[in-house]
Amino acid sequence: MKIKVQDFIDRIVDGDFISSEMETPVNDLDGALKQLLSDFQTTVAQGKLGQQILVITGFEEAVSVRLESGIINLPFANINRVDNFFESSAAEVPVQVELIMEAPDLNASKFHIDQLGSIETLNNAPMEIAQQIITKVHSGLEQIQSNLAAVKEKKD
Protein backbone atom coordinates (compact mmCIF):
# COMPACT_ATOMS: atom_id res chain seq x y z
CA MET A 1 0.00 0.00 0.00
CA LYS A 2 1.46 3.32 -1.08
CA ILE A 3 0.20 6.87 -0.77
CA LYS A 4 1.33 10.32 -1.86
CA VAL A 5 2.67 12.40 1.03
CA GLN A 6 0.14 15.21 0.47
CA ASP A 7 -2.77 12.75 0.20
CA PHE A 8 -1.73 11.19 3.53
CA ILE A 9 -1.55 14.61 5.20
CA ASP A 10 -4.91 15.70 3.74
CA ARG A 11 -6.65 12.50 4.84
CA ILE A 12 -5.37 12.76 8.41
CA VAL A 13 -6.19 16.48 8.67
CA ASP A 14 -9.69 15.82 7.26
CA GLY A 15 -10.26 12.92 9.65
CA ASP A 16 -10.54 10.54 6.68
CA PHE A 17 -9.35 7.46 8.57
CA ILE A 18 -10.95 4.72 10.61
CA SER A 19 -10.47 5.01 14.35
CA SER A 20 -11.62 2.68 17.08
CA GLU A 21 -10.92 2.36 20.78
CA MET A 22 -11.19 -0.46 23.27
CA GLU A 23 -10.14 -1.03 26.86
CA THR A 24 -8.61 -4.03 28.58
CA PRO A 25 -7.27 -4.92 32.01
CA VAL A 26 -3.57 -5.73 31.99
CA ASN A 27 -4.25 -9.43 32.70
CA ASP A 28 -6.09 -9.79 29.33
CA LEU A 29 -3.44 -7.91 27.41
CA ASP A 30 -2.17 -10.38 24.79
CA GLY A 31 -5.65 -11.23 23.48
CA ALA A 32 -6.55 -7.54 23.34
CA LEU A 33 -3.34 -6.73 21.43
CA LYS A 34 -4.14 -9.46 18.90
CA GLN A 35 -7.65 -8.00 18.50
CA LEU A 36 -6.14 -4.52 18.06
CA LEU A 37 -3.97 -5.84 15.25
CA SER A 38 -6.88 -7.72 13.69
CA ASP A 39 -8.98 -4.53 13.67
CA PHE A 40 -6.05 -2.65 12.11
CA GLN A 41 -5.66 -5.34 9.43
CA THR A 42 -9.36 -5.08 8.58
CA THR A 43 -9.02 -1.31 8.15
CA VAL A 44 -5.97 -1.40 5.89
CA ALA A 45 -7.41 -4.29 3.85
CA GLN A 46 -10.13 -1.81 2.84
CA GLY A 47 -7.44 0.60 1.61
CA LYS A 48 -8.14 2.96 4.51
CA LEU A 49 -5.78 4.62 6.96
CA GLY A 50 -6.31 3.51 10.52
CA GLN A 51 -5.86 4.37 14.16
CA GLN A 52 -6.75 1.60 16.58
CA ILE A 53 -6.42 2.47 20.28
CA LEU A 54 -6.15 0.15 23.26
CA VAL A 55 -6.36 1.56 26.78
CA ILE A 56 -4.75 -0.73 29.35
CA THR A 57 -6.13 -0.44 32.86
CA GLY A 58 -4.64 -1.67 36.12
CA PHE A 59 -1.94 0.95 36.50
CA GLU A 60 -1.97 4.17 38.53
CA GLU A 61 -2.83 5.93 35.28
CA ALA A 62 -4.15 4.32 32.09
CA VAL A 63 -1.66 3.26 29.44
CA SER A 64 -2.51 3.91 25.79
CA VAL A 65 -1.30 1.70 22.94
CA ARG A 66 -2.12 2.70 19.37
CA LEU A 67 -1.58 1.27 15.95
CA GLU A 68 -1.57 3.95 13.29
CA SER A 69 -0.98 3.99 9.55
CA GLY A 70 2.01 6.20 8.94
CA ILE A 71 4.54 7.29 6.38
CA ILE A 72 7.14 8.54 8.84
CA ASN A 73 7.78 7.72 12.48
CA LEU A 74 5.33 10.35 13.77
CA PRO A 75 1.82 9.98 15.21
CA PHE A 76 -1.28 11.49 13.61
CA ALA A 77 -1.13 14.20 16.30
CA ASN A 78 2.06 15.54 14.68
CA ILE A 79 0.67 15.63 11.13
CA ASN A 80 1.81 19.25 10.71
CA ARG A 81 5.47 18.07 10.79
CA VAL A 82 5.20 15.14 8.37
CA ASP A 83 5.99 17.04 5.18
CA ASN A 84 9.29 18.29 6.69
CA PHE A 85 10.73 14.80 6.15
CA PHE A 86 10.08 14.52 2.40
CA GLU A 87 11.59 16.37 -0.54
CA SER A 88 8.27 16.46 -2.37
CA SER A 89 4.71 16.25 -1.13
CA ALA A 90 3.92 14.52 -4.44
CA ALA A 91 6.24 11.62 -3.60
CA GLU A 92 4.55 8.24 -3.30
CA VAL A 93 5.70 6.36 -0.21
CA PRO A 94 4.84 3.06 1.51
CA VAL A 95 2.31 3.11 4.34
CA GLN A 96 3.84 1.77 7.56
CA VAL A 97 2.50 0.23 10.77
CA GLU A 98 3.33 2.49 13.72
CA LEU A 99 3.10 1.24 17.31
CA ILE A 100 2.67 4.10 19.76
CA MET A 101 2.69 3.77 23.53
CA GLU A 102 1.83 6.61 25.89
CA ALA A 103 1.89 6.62 29.67
CA PRO A 104 2.91 9.17 32.30
CA ASP A 105 5.47 6.78 33.81
CA LEU A 106 6.89 5.33 30.57
CA ASN A 107 9.83 7.73 30.12
CA ALA A 108 10.64 11.44 30.26
CA SER A 109 8.56 12.17 27.14
CA LYS A 110 5.70 9.87 28.27
CA PHE A 111 5.73 8.52 24.72
CA HIS A 112 7.40 5.88 22.53
CA ILE A 113 6.88 5.04 18.86
CA ASP A 114 8.13 2.07 16.83
CA GLN A 115 7.80 1.53 13.11
CA LEU A 116 6.96 -2.18 12.74
CA GLY A 117 7.07 -2.47 8.96
CA SER A 118 5.06 -1.75 5.88
CA ILE A 119 1.47 -2.77 5.27
CA GLU A 120 2.88 -5.36 2.84
CA THR A 121 4.98 -6.81 5.70
CA LEU A 122 1.84 -6.95 7.83
CA ASN A 123 -0.05 -8.75 5.05
CA ASN A 124 2.78 -11.23 4.45
CA ALA A 125 3.82 -11.88 8.07
CA PRO A 126 1.01 -10.91 10.46
CA MET A 127 2.19 -13.29 13.19
CA GLU A 128 5.63 -11.65 13.22
CA ILE A 129 4.06 -8.20 13.56
CA ALA A 130 1.75 -9.52 16.32
CA GLN A 131 4.74 -10.90 18.22
CA GLN A 132 6.62 -7.59 17.84
CA ILE A 133 3.62 -5.74 19.26
CA ILE A 134 3.26 -8.10 22.22
CA THR A 135 7.00 -7.99 22.99
CA LYS A 136 7.28 -4.20 22.71
CA VAL A 137 4.16 -3.50 24.79
CA HIS A 138 5.25 -5.91 27.53
CA SER A 139 8.68 -4.26 27.53
CA GLY A 140 7.05 -0.83 27.88
CA LEU A 141 4.88 -2.06 30.76
CA GLU A 142 7.95 -3.48 32.49
CA GLN A 143 9.63 -0.08 32.09
CA ILE A 144 6.61 1.64 33.64
CA GLN A 145 6.65 -0.75 36.61
CA SER A 146 10.40 -0.25 37.03
CA ASN A 147 10.02 3.54 36.91
CA LEU A 148 7.17 3.45 39.45
CA ALA A 149 9.23 1.22 41.77
CA ALA A 150 12.20 3.60 41.50
CA VAL A 151 10.01 6.58 42.44
CA LYS A 152 8.54 4.67 45.37
CA GLU A 153 11.98 3.60 46.56
CA LYS A 154 13.22 7.18 46.35
CA LYS A 155 10.30 8.35 48.54
CA ASP A 156 10.97 5.64 51.17
Side-chain angles (χ1 to χ4, degrees):
M1 179 174 177
K2 289 192 169 193
I3 192 169
K4 289 184 179 177
V5 173
Q6 191 60 54
D7 290 345
F8 176 81
I9 292 168
D10 291 345
R11 288 171 68 179
I12 300 306
V13 168
D14 293 343
D16 183 14
F17 56 91
I18 295 175
S19 183
S20 66
E21 184 172 334
M22 60 186 192
E23 189 173 292
T24 189
V26 71
N27 59 343
D28 291 336
L29 182 59
D30 290 1
L33 289 171
K34 288 176 184 173
Q35 182 62 51
L36 187 77
L37 181 59
S38 176
D39 292 350
F40 186 80
Q41 287 176 287
T42 300
T43 296
V44 297
Q46 299 170 19
K48 302 281 187 182
L49 298 177
Q51 176 189 62
Q52 275 62 41
I53 304 165
L54 175 65
V55 177
I56 305 168
T57 60
F59 290 88
E60 289 183 19
E61 296 186 52
V63 175
S64 171
V65 174
R66 294 192 314 269
L67 290 179
E68 290 184 353
S69 308
I71 57 172
I72 190 74
N73 216 8
L74 287 172
F76 287 179
N78 295 98
I79 193 66
N80 60 336
R81 296 186 4 215
V82 168
D83 63 346
N84 296 338
F85 294 90
F86 297 94
E87 288 184 30
S88 167
S89 62
E92 193 169 75
V93 296
V95 177
Q96 304 289 328
V97 180
E98 309 287 348
L99 173 66
I100 303 162
M101 192 165 182
E102 287 185 281
D105 301 303
L106 180 61
N107 55 31
S109 67
K110 303 172 173 87
F111 175 87
H112 184 80
I113 186 168
D114 286 296
Q115 196 167 75
L116 303 179
S118 68
I119 298 302
E120 283 74 24
T121 302
L122 173 62
N123 292 336
N124 295 332
M127 296 306 291
E128 289 176 28
I129 298 289
Q131 191 54 55
Q132 279 188 64
I133 292 169
I134 290 169
T135 300
K136 289 177 182 296
V137 170
H138 279 279
S139 176
L141 294 177
E142 288 170 15
Q143 185 64 52
I144 290 167
Q145 290 171 327
S146 175
N147 292 344
L148 287 170
V151 168
K152 186 176 187 221
E153 188 176 297
K154 199 172 184 179
K155 286 181 181 177
D156 293 344

Coordinates of all heavy atoms in Angstrom, one line a residue, residues 1 36-45 52 67-69 95-98 116-133:
M1 N 0.9 -1.2 0.0 CA 0.0 0.0 0.0 C 0.9 1.2 0.0 O 1.8 1.4 0.9 CB -0.9 0.0 1.2 CG -1.8 1.1 1.4 SD -2.9 0.8 2.8 CE -3.8 2.3 2.8
L36 N -6.5 -5.8 18.6 CA -6.1 -4.5 18.1 C -5.5 -4.7 16.7 O -5.9 -3.9 15.7 CB -5.2 -3.9 19.0 CG -4.8 -2.4 18.8 CD1 -5.9 -1.5 19.2 CD2 -3.5 -2.1 19.6
L37 N -4.6 -5.6 16.5 CA -4.0 -5.8 15.3 C -5.0 -6.3 14.2 O -5.0 -5.9 13.1 CB -2.8 -6.8 15.4 CG -2.1 -7.1 14.1 CD1 -1.5 -5.8 13.5 CD2 -1.0 -8.2 14.3
S38 N -5.9 -7.2 14.6 CA -6.9 -7.7 13.7 C -7.8 -6.6 13.2 O -8.1 -6.5 12.0 CB -7.7 -8.8 14.4 OG -8.8 -9.2 13.6
D39 N -8.2 -5.7 14.1 CA -9.0 -4.5 13.7 C -8.2 -3.6 12.7 O -8.7 -3.1 11.7 CB -9.4 -3.7 14.9 CG -10.4 -4.4 15.8 OD1 -10.9 -5.5 15.4 OD2 -10.6 -3.9 16.9
F40 N -6.9 -3.5 13.0 CA -6.1 -2.6 12.1 C -5.9 -3.3 10.7 O -6.1 -2.6 9.7 CB -4.7 -2.5 12.8 CG -3.8 -1.5 12.0 CD1 -3.9 -0.2 12.2 CD2 -2.8 -2.0 11.2 CE1 -3.1 0.7 11.5 CE2 -1.9 -1.1 10.5 CZ -2.1 0.2 10.7
Q41 N -5.8 -4.6 10.7 CA -5.7 -5.3 9.4 C -6.9 -5.2 8.6 O -6.9 -5.0 7.4 CB -5.4 -6.8 9.7 CG -4.0 -7.1 10.1 CD -3.8 -8.6 10.4 OE1 -4.3 -9.1 11.4 NE2 -3.2 -9.3 9.6
T42 N -8.1 -5.3 9.3 CA -9.4 -5.1 8.6 C -9.4 -3.7 7.9 O -9.9 -3.5 6.8 CB -10.5 -5.3 9.6 OG1 -10.5 -6.6 10.1 CG2 -11.9 -5.1 8.9
T43 N -9.0 -2.7 8.7 CA -9.0 -1.3 8.2 C -8.1 -1.2 6.9 O -8.6 -0.6 5.9 CB -8.6 -0.3 9.3 OG1 -9.5 -0.4 10.3 CG2 -8.4 1.1 8.7
V44 N -6.9 -1.6 7.0 CA -6.0 -1.4 5.9 C -6.3 -2.3 4.7 O -6.0 -1.9 3.6 CB -4.5 -1.5 6.3 CG1 -4.1 -0.4 7.3 CG2 -4.2 -2.9 6.8
A45 N -7.0 -3.4 5.0 CA -7.4 -4.3 3.9 C -8.5 -3.6 3.0 O -8.6 -3.9 1.8 CB -8.0 -5.6 4.4
Q52 N -6.1 2.5 15.6 CA -6.7 1.6 16.6 C -6.1 1.8 17.9 O -4.9 1.8 18.0 CB -6.7 0.1 16.2 CG -7.8 -0.3 15.2 CD -7.8 0.4 13.9 OE1 -6.7 0.6 13.3 NE2 -8.9 0.7 13.4
L67 N -2.1 1.6 17.3 CA -1.6 1.3 16.0 C -2.1 2.3 15.0 O -3.3 2.6 15.0 CB -2.0 -0.1 15.5 CG -1.5 -1.3 16.2 CD1 -2.1 -2.6 15.7 CD2 0.0 -1.3 16.2
E68 N -1.2 2.9 14.3 CA -1.6 4.0 13.3 C -0.9 3.7 12.0 O 0.2 3.2 11.9 CB -1.1 5.4 13.8 CG -1.9 5.9 14.9 CD -1.6 7.3 15.3 OE1 -0.6 7.9 14.8 OE2 -2.3 7.8 16.2
S69 N -1.6 4.0 10.9 CA -1.0 4.0 9.6 C -0.1 5.2 9.5 O -0.5 6.3 10.0 CB -2.0 4.2 8.5 OG -3.1 3.2 8.6
V95 N 3.0 2.9 3.1 CA 2.3 3.1 4.3 C 2.9 2.1 5.3 O 3.0 0.9 5.0 CB 0.8 3.0 4.2 CG1 0.1 3.1 5.5 CG2 0.3 4.0 3.2
Q96 N 3.2 2.6 6.5 CA 3.8 1.8 7.6 C 2.9 1.5 8.7 O 1.9 2.2 8.9 CB 5.1 2.5 8.1 CG 6.1 2.9 7.1 CD 6.9 1.7 6.5 OE1 7.1 0.7 7.2 NE2 7.2 1.8 5.3
V97 N 3.2 0.5 9.5 CA 2.5 0.2 10.8 C 3.3 0.9 11.9 O 4.5 0.5 12.1 CB 2.4 -1.3 11.0 CG1 1.6 -1.6 12.3 CG2 1.7 -2.0 9.8
E98 N 2.7 1.8 12.6 CA 3.3 2.5 13.7 C 2.7 2.0 15.0 O 1.5 2.0 15.2 CB 3.1 4.0 13.6 CG 3.5 4.6 12.3 CD 5.0 4.7 12.0 OE1 5.8 4.5 12.9 OE2 5.4 5.0 10.8
L116 N 6.9 -0.7 12.8 CA 7.0 -2.2 12.7 C 7.2 -2.8 11.4 O 7.5 -3.9 11.2 CB 5.7 -2.8 13.4 CG 5.4 -2.3 14.8 CD1 4.1 -2.9 15.3 CD2 6.5 -2.7 15.7
G117 N 6.9 -2.0 10.3 CA 7.1 -2.5 9.0 C 6.0 -1.9 8.1 O 5.1 -1.2 8.6
S118 N 6.0 -2.2 6.8 CA 5.1 -1.7 5.9 C 3.8 -2.6 6.0 O 3.7 -3.6 6.6 CB 5.6 -1.9 4.5 OG 5.7 -3.2 4.1
I119 N 2.7 -2.0 5.3 CA 1.5 -2.8 5.3 C 1.7 -4.1 4.5 O 1.1 -5.1 4.9 CB 0.4 -1.9 4.6 CG1 0.1 -0.6 5.4 CG2 -0.9 -2.7 4.4 CD1 -0.3 -0.8 6.8
E120 N 2.6 -4.1 3.5 CA 2.9 -5.4 2.8 C 3.5 -6.4 3.8 O 3.2 -7.6 3.8 CB 3.8 -5.1 1.7 CG 3.1 -4.5 0.4 CD 2.7 -3.1 0.6 OE1 3.4 -2.3 1.4 OE2 1.8 -2.6 -0.1
T121 N 4.4 -5.9 4.7 CA 5.0 -6.8 5.7 C 3.9 -7.4 6.6 O 3.9 -8.6 6.9 CB 6.0 -6.1 6.5 OG1 7.0 -5.5 5.7 CG2 6.7 -7.0 7.6
L122 N 3.0 -6.5 7.0 CA 1.8 -7.0 7.8 C 1.0 -8.0 7.1 O 0.7 -9.0 7.7 CB 1.0 -5.8 8.2 CG -0.3 -6.1 8.9 CD1 -0.1 -6.8 10.3 CD2 -1.1 -4.8 9.2
N123 N 0.7 -7.8 5.8 CA 0.0 -8.7 5.0 C 0.7 -10.1 4.9 O 0.1 -11.1 4.9 CB -0.4 -8.2 3.7 CG -1.4 -7.0 3.8 OD1 -2.1 -6.9 4.7 ND2 -1.4 -6.2 2.8
N124 N 2.0 -10.0 4.7 CA 2.8 -11.2 4.5 C 3.2 -12.0 5.7 O 3.4 -13.2 5.7 CB 4.0 -10.9 3.6 CG 3.7 -10.4 2.3 OD1 2.7 -10.8 1.7 ND2 4.5 -9.5 1.7
A125 N 3.3 -11.3 6.8 CA 3.8 -11.9 8.1 C 3.1 -11.3 9.3 O 3.7 -10.8 10.2 CB 5.3 -11.7 8.2
P126 N 1.8 -11.5 9.3 CA 1.0 -10.9 10.5 C 1.4 -11.5 11.8 O 1.4 -10.7 12.8 CB -0.4 -11.2 10.1 CG -0.4 -12.4 9.2 CD 0.9 -12.2 8.4
M127 N 1.8 -12.7 11.9 CA 2.2 -13.3 13.2 C 3.5 -12.7 13.7 O 3.6 -12.5 14.9 CB 2.4 -14.8 13.1 CG 1.0 -15.5 12.7 SD -0.3 -15.1 13.8 CE 0.2 -15.9 15.3
E128 N 4.4 -12.3 12.8 CA 5.6 -11.7 13.2 C 5.3 -10.3 13.8 O 5.9 -9.8 14.8 CB 6.6 -11.6 12.1 CG 7.2 -12.9 11.7 CD 8.1 -12.8 10.5 OE1 8.7 -11.7 10.2 OE2 8.2 -13.8 9.7
I129 N 4.4 -9.5 13.1 CA 4.1 -8.2 13.6 C 3.3 -8.3 14.9 O 3.6 -7.6 15.8 CB 3.2 -7.5 12.5 CG1 3.9 -7.3 11.2 CG2 2.6 -6.2 13.1 CD1 5.0 -6.2 11.2
A130 N 2.5 -9.3 15.0 CA 1.8 -9.5 16.3 C 2.7 -9.8 17.4 O 2.6 -9.2 18.5 CB 0.8 -10.7 16.2
Q131 N 3.8 -10.6 17.2 CA 4.7 -10.9 18.2 C 5.6 -9.7 18.6 O 5.9 -9.4 19.7 CB 5.7 -12.0 17.8 CG 6.5 -12.6 18.9 CD 5.7 -13.0 20.1 OE1 4.8 -13.8 20.0 NE2 6.0 -12.4 21.3
Q132 N 5.9 -8.8 17.6 CA 6.6 -7.6 17.8 C 5.8 -6.7 18.8 O 6.3 -6.1 19.7 CB 6.9 -6.8 16.5 CG 8.0 -7.3 15.7 CD 8.3 -6.3 14.6 OE1 8.6 -5.1 14.8 NE2 8.1 -6.8 13.4
I133 N 4.5 -6.6 18.5 CA 3.6 -5.7 19.3 C 3.6 -6.2 20.7 O 3.8 -5.5 21.6 CB 2.2 -5.7 18.7 CG1 2.2 -4.9 17.3 CG2 1.2 -5.0 19.6 CD1 1.0 -5.1 16.5

